[in-house]
Amino acid sequence: VPDLRRNVQELARLQLETISSTLLTRLPGLRLTQPQPRFEHDTTAYGLPHVTVTW
């Protein structure tokens, strides 16, 4: 199970990198509306529950 978890985490990281770079390329004016996004941790995941942006 630890190997599966690591593989899933790596896949999620790669997906986020691809999405981020694609969005920033296609929408160069994209900016966060909050200076410091708030990370949260619940029983299943650690991360950003939502990110608000403007362009």
Side-chain angles (χ1 to χ4, degrees):
V1 175
D3 289 335
L4 176 61
R5 181 176 289 168
R6 190 173 334 151
N7 290 339
V8 170
Q9 289 172 339
E10 180 66 16
L11 178 60
R13 186 186 64 77
L14 289 170
Q15 288 175 328
L16 285 173
E17 285 179 3
T18 302
I19 290 167
S20 299
S21 65
T22 301
L23 279 174
L24 293 173
T25 300
R26 293 185 181 186
L27 300 169
L30 191 68
R31 301 285 180 259
L32 293 173
T33 59
Q34 297 175 325
Q36 183 69 31
R38 197 173 109 220
F39 284 82
E40 293 183 2
H41 182 327
D42 63 17
T43 58
T44 58
Y46 172 78
L48 297 167
H50 61 274
V51 177
T52 55
V53 296
T54 188
W55 66 89

